[in-house]
Amino acid sequence: MPTSESAAEAGENQGPDYLASLRLVRGRMEGSSGRLACAVVLATLGVCAELVPVWVVYRLVLAATGGFLDWAFVLRHAGFATAGVLIGFFAMGLALAQSHIVAFDVIHRLRLAMARHMARLPLGYFADRASGDAKKLVVDEPEKLEAIIAHGIPEGVSAVATWLAVSVWLFAVDWHMALASVVLTPLSFVLLSIGMKRGGRHARVYQAAGARMNATIVEYLAGMPVVKVFNRTGESFAETGAAVRDYEDIETRWARDYMPLGGAFYMLVLANIVVILPVGLALMHQGSLPLPTLLLFVILGANYSQPLLKLFNQFHGLAHISMGSTAIADLLNEAPQTDAGRRVTLPHHDVAFEQVRFGYGESDVIHGLDFVARTGQVTALVGPSGSGKSTIAGLIPRFRDVRAGRITIGGVDVRDISLDQLMETVAFVFQDTFLFSDTVAANIRFGKPDASDAEVHAAAAAARAHDFISALPQGYDTPLGEQARTLSGGERQRIAIARAILKDAPVIVLDEATAFADPDNEAAIQEAIGALTHGRTLILVAHRLHTIMTADQILAIDRGRVAECGTHDGLLGRHGLYARLWDDYEHAQAIQLRPAGAEAQQDSA
């Protein structure tokens, strides 16, 4: 694991893309541009209206020093000031209402676009990413765009407009005093830009450290039951603690690089008054500057940089949000899985692997694989752990695409079949069963959304799940809740099998379908699996070897290759890999678990 220091060096000079969030928003504005423009105009009107009281004070001072101040003049200008305040609040309120509507609309569109795009990515894309990263990317990062759209754009544009208006006003009144008011502003922003450039080089490392910290925290919390049982709180928290410390270290580095110049910016940007007063008093002493004009510059000039400071605060938030927007853009730019987009006629549903090669990274884990799984037969994949069985199974529905060779269904390359048709053709039951926090019926019906209750019940019965479902408090209408924690592993697996049965796909892939079944139900599930073979191509990944003794074809996989192929009896007669796996399996089944020393005590007795 690289240290934060080496990571920081690797990310040197890779500052954030400050405009990433704006580009992301611009691409999702469909139909909302007019509403956002209206919000910007209203926000600008609201900020400009806030200057009316300043103008009123200036006019009153002029009237007082000119000797023409009366109650009618005061009341009239008080009305102007009141109207300015009310218009300012009303316009800003309308602006924020409009911009928030746009913000939530854009975020809604963005999340839909992300969901649709993620659905077109191969499943392997998600297998390589931590769940904490995915949650942050889909839930947290789009939510941050609300600050940019609802506040940043209207308030930022209005701040610039107000600054320009005030600048023109000041120079129109007295250019000498106007220069005194603005002289510190360019210097302060030069310091700021240098400080942001120095600190921004840590941006990418900061983002990576934040993602790592989120992922380790999610993993730590998810594994809390195991941590507690084995009393390994300290050791298990080590990785999370290291991630938090690295994140803290990078934030500290960023702050140290930014703060000296950033602090100087905050000091200078609001220090106009220290120039305005000496210059103004000197000009008054020379008789070239009247008191009302000095008062105007004291009021306006002292706050001359406030709009720019507001703009900077928006820009500072934009920098942090843009880092997350860059990750969203990377996701949306990820090449989707190629889709032929056409439905083809499949004369049969034999699944054939032809010189298939596949690997993670640069090295292959599947090497020139050749076999055919026939329609109406059971083909079992067995082998040592890590031999590539589940990887092979996942290639059939294109969870990942092969590196060389091809996989065909009915003689057609799976890459030449539209993804929709491929998903209709192949049903897959994972070893790690996932159920939605919906009712039992809804989870089964996920395999066929328009299925009737009778079809759902029939599929559950075929999967030997009907009896335990009927015993639930609300039967098929029982909500399962998060991760279906109220069900046993075997019950969850049988619901998943029922879902696959209801789908009625001609090709079914079962990745150790009986992994969590108890002995009482394992035979029943085997019967259900046997019934599935009628007219279908059935491919099993098996660890319990006795469950595939009657398979029509057994492939013994070793290091990504077919070491042996045949029936159970035929492979045992070869005395090869399968025979060794069978001997190991029988030996494991014969082992009786007894306390240490129990055998010796029994012999002595």
Side-chain angles (χ1 to χ4, degrees):
M1 180 66 65
T3 64
S4 59
E5 184 175 356
S6 62
E9 292 174 355
E12 195 79 16
N13 297 323
Q14 296 186 20
D17 181 358
Y18 292 103
L19 301 181
S21 58
L22 295 180
R23 284 195 297 270
L24 190 65
V25 167
R26 185 183 60 187
R28 300 288 179 274
M29 290 298 296
E30 309 158 4
S32 299
S33 301
R35 190 186 291 271
L36 185 60
C38 178
V40 169
V41 171
L42 288 170
T44 303
L45 174 63
V47 175
C48 290
E50 294 176 2
L51 297 176
V52 173
V54 177
W55 174 80
V56 167
V57 170
Y58 175 61
R59 293 280 297 168
L60 290 175
V61 173
L62 279 178
T65 55
F68 56 87
L69 185 65
D70 57 33
W71 281 109
F73 186 89
V74 172
L75 291 176
R76 184 167 61 253
H77 282 75
F80 292 154
T82 302
V85 171
L86 293 177
I87 291 173
F89 276 112
F90 185 70
M92 188 58 73
L94 285 178
L96 292 178
Q98 296 298 310
S99 63
H100 274 85
I101 292 174
V102 173
F104 296 135
D105 189 42
V106 168
I107 292 172
H108 172 70
R109 287 199 191 105
L110 178 61
R111 282 183 171 146
L112 285 180
M114 292 174 68
R116 292 191 183 106
H117 187 73
M118 290 167 73
R120 294 195 294 269
L121 295 176
L123 192 63
Y125 174 87
F126 305 98
D128 298 334
R129 283 156 178 80
S131 57
D133 288 347
K135 181 261 182 186
K136 187 173 186 293
L137 190 63
V138 177
V139 178
D140 298 342
E141 298 301 346
E143 195 68 30
K144 295 178 183 177
L145 293 175
E146 183 266 340
I148 295 296
I149 305 169
H151 299 278
I153 294 177
E155 293 180 10
V157 174
S158 64
V160 173
T162 304
W163 176 75
L164 291 174
V166 171
S167 298
V168 172
W169 188 4
L170 292 180
F171 276 94
V173 173
D174 189 296
W175 69 271
H176 300 90
M177 289 299 298
L179 287 177
S181 300
V182 306
V183 66
L184 292 180
T185 301
L187 176 60
S188 63
F189 274 89
V190 167
L191 295 176
L192 175 65
S193 63
I194 297 174
M196 291 183 66
K197 184 176 181 180
R198 290 179 57 186
R201 63 185 181 179
H202 301 291
R204 294 184 184 275
V205 185
Y206 169 84
Q207 183 181 8
R212 177 192 169 205
M213 181 178 66
N214 286 332
T216 57
I217 290 174
V218 169
E219 182 181 13
Y220 178 73
L221 294 177
M224 187 58 69
V226 177
V227 173
K228 285 288 191 181
V229 167
F230 289 94
N231 195 26
R232 300 294 295 273
T233 306
E235 295 88 336
S236 301
F237 190 71
E239 171 63 16
T240 304
V244 173
R245 285 190 295 273
D246 282 351
Y247 182 79
E248 176 192 19
D249 182 60
I250 292 166
E251 275 203 321
T252 303
R253 289 174 179 272
W254 194 335
R256 285 175 178 169
D257 283 348
Y258 166 76
M259 281 307 296
L261 296 178
F265 160 77
Y266 276 101
M267 179 183 69
L268 291 177
V269 77
L270 299 177
N272 309 69
I273 193 67
V274 302
V275 180
I276 293 172
L277 278 178
V279 173
L281 292 174
L283 292 176
M284 281 188 64
H285 182 70
Q286 295 175 4
S288 60
L289 184 69
L291 177 62
T293 303
L294 175 61
L295 181 61
L296 173 67
F297 278 91
V298 169
I299 296 174
L300 278 182
N303 297 299
Y304 173 75
S305 297
Q306 282 286 4
L308 294 180
L309 188 61
K310 180 186 294 185
L311 179 64
F312 162 71
N313 289 332
Q314 295 290 347
F315 190 73
H316 189 264
L318 180 69
H320 284 273
I321 294 171
S322 289
M323 289 188 288
S325 298
T326 301
I328 294 176
D330 290 342
L331 168 67
L332 294 175
N333 291 331
E334 189 76 26
Q337 194 168 29
T338 56
D339 187 355
R342 63 177 183 273
R343 303 183 74 86
V344 298
T345 301
L346 301 176
H348 54 83
H349 295 100
D350 292 355
V351 176
F353 279 63
E354 301 174 4
Q355 285 297 302
V356 169
R357 303 183 71 87
F358 172 77
Y360 305 97
E362 297 181 359
S363 59
D364 287 343
V365 295
I366 304 298
H367 309 275
L369 202 65
D370 273 300
F371 73 86
V372 178
R374 301 289 182 186
T375 304
Q377 294 185 357
V378 177
T379 298
L381 306 178
V382 302
S385 296
S387 58
K389 303 182 297 297
S390 294
T391 299
I392 294 169
L395 293 175
I396 299 171
R398 292 187 65 192
F399 292 163
R400 299 178 188 268
D401 279 331
V402 300
R403 183 170 288 173
R406 68 175 192 156
I407 301 171
T408 64
I409 298 178
V412 181
D413 194 317
V414 292
R415 291 168 294 189
D416 295 331
I417 304 172
S418 71
L419 290 176
D420 286 342
Q421 183 182 1
L422 182 62
M423 292 302 102
E424 294 170 3
T425 304
V426 181
F428 199 102
V429 178
F430 297 89
Q431 181 175 354
D432 296 324
T433 303
F434 178 81
L435 298 179
F436 297 95
S437 57
D438 205 332
T439 64
V440 175
N443 271 278
I444 297 176
R445 193 174 273 116
F446 198 79
K448 184 181 178 183
D450 58 349
S452 64
D453 288 344
E455 290 175 308
V456 171
H457 295 177
R464 303 305 188 265
H466 178 75
D467 290 342
F468 83 79
I469 293 174
S470 301
L472 293 174
Q474 301 175 50
Y476 283 85
D477 295 325
T478 302
L480 294 181
E482 186 178 0
Q483 298 182 11
R485 299 183 189 277
T486 56
L487 300 181
S488 69
E491 290 170 339
R492 290 196 295 269
Q493 205 151 30
R494 276 178 280 165
I495 290 177
I497 293 173
R499 185 162 57 193
I501 292 173
L502 184 63
K503 184 177 180 179
D504 197 25
V507 178
I508 298 179
V509 182
L510 303 177
D511 189 355
E512 190 48 73
T514 61
F516 300 107
D518 55 72
D520 291 338
N521 289 288
E522 186 175 359
I525 293 177
Q526 287 297 114
E527 292 176 9
I529 293 174
L532 288 174
T533 59
H534 181 68
R536 296 182 178 89
T537 304
L538 189 60
I539 300 173
L540 302 177
V541 176
H543 298 286
R544 296 182 179 181
L545 297 188
H546 72 278
T547 62
I548 48 93
M549 291 174 59
T550 59
D552 300 283
Q553 178 181 219
I554 299 174
L555 304 177
I557 308 298
D558 186 25
R559 298 179 182 179
R561 294 183 173 87
V562 177
E564 296 175 327
C565 177
T567 62
H568 173 74
D569 292 334
L571 291 176
L572 287 181
R574 294 185 187 180
H575 304 290
L577 174 61
Y578 182 80
R580 291 196 302 272
L581 292 173
W582 181 259
D583 289 341
D584 291 341
Y585 174 76
E586 286 196 315
H587 178 69
Q589 294 296 106
I591 294 176
Q592 297 182 9
L593 297 180
R594 290 186 290 179
E599 185 176 350
Q601 292 177 8
Q602 183 176 0
D603 292 341
S604 63

